[in-house]
Amino acid sequence: MTMTDSPNLLIKGVGIDIVKIQRIENMITRFKDHFKNRIFTKNEIAYADSFANPYGHYAMRFAAKEAFLKSVGKIKNFDFKLVELISGGTPRIHLLGTIGDQFDENRFVVSLSDEKEFAVAVVIFGYPCEQN
């Protein structure tokens, strides 16, 4: 059972992040592939680069990674590439490596939005619970 299947939810943490799209565009323009390869997975890069204007898609992914981190609390030596945003339909978090070993990705719900110059992500970390 995933959280979205359960009408009752025990929330352990909530993270939210807002990113100015221009900031991400500036980072990519300045540091090129070094920035992209340090922050995003190959799948995320391929997805964002498939659009004529990829910067909003990169910003959305960056915001989701930051919101994930805020939802779970501090993680020592956090590696952004171990948290992947899966698009197409309902967005979801895919966890890799040591982060995937620590958390069950089915315990996260993601909401994304953007408006002109900003991208926003909210990540809820919780557990489905039975109603008494």
Side-chain angles (χ1 to χ4, degrees):
M1 174 185 291
T2 66
M3 287 197 330
T4 54
D5 296 329
S6 176
N8 301 302
L9 180 66
L10 173 64
I11 296 176
K12 185 149 171 90
V14 176
I16 184 169
D17 196 65
I18 184 168
V19 176
K20 194 167 189 177
I21 296 170
Q22 185 65 53
R23 177 176 159 235
I24 299 300
E25 181 176 356
N26 292 346
M27 295 295 286
I28 292 171
T29 301
R30 181 174 178 195
F31 297 107
K32 307 210 180 334
D33 288 342
H34 178 73
F35 175 75
K36 290 197 289 189
N37 291 325
R38 194 170 136 249
I39 303 297
F40 304 103
T41 66
K42 289 180 182 182
N43 290 336
E44 290 174 315
I45 293 169
Y47 179 83
D49 284 346
S50 72
F51 293 89
N53 185 352
Y55 304 112
H57 300 279
Y58 279 114
M60 195 77 70
R61 276 145 188 74
F62 189 85
K65 292 167 189 269
E66 288 279 339
F68 166 83
L69 184 58
K70 292 171 183 176
S71 77
V72 299
K74 189 172 183 176
I75 297 177
K76 189 175 181 179
N77 301 319
F78 179 69
D79 183 351
F80 282 86
K81 288 178 71 169
L82 298 181
V83 176
E84 181 177 62
L85 180 66
I86 306 293
S87 295
T90 302
R92 64 184 181 86
I93 296 286
H94 178 57
L95 303 175
L96 305 160
T98 56
I99 301 293
D101 295 339
Q102 292 177 29
F103 300 99
D104 177 356
E105 64 189 39
N106 291 316
R107 301 294 182 227
F108 296 90
V109 175
V110 183
S111 181
L112 307 169
S113 188
D114 64 321
E115 178 61 31
K116 296 183 184 176
E117 60 191 89
F118 295 101
V120 178
V122 175
V123 174
I124 299 171
F125 171 38
Y127 296 91
C129 59
E130 298 298 320
Q131 185 175 10
N132 292 332

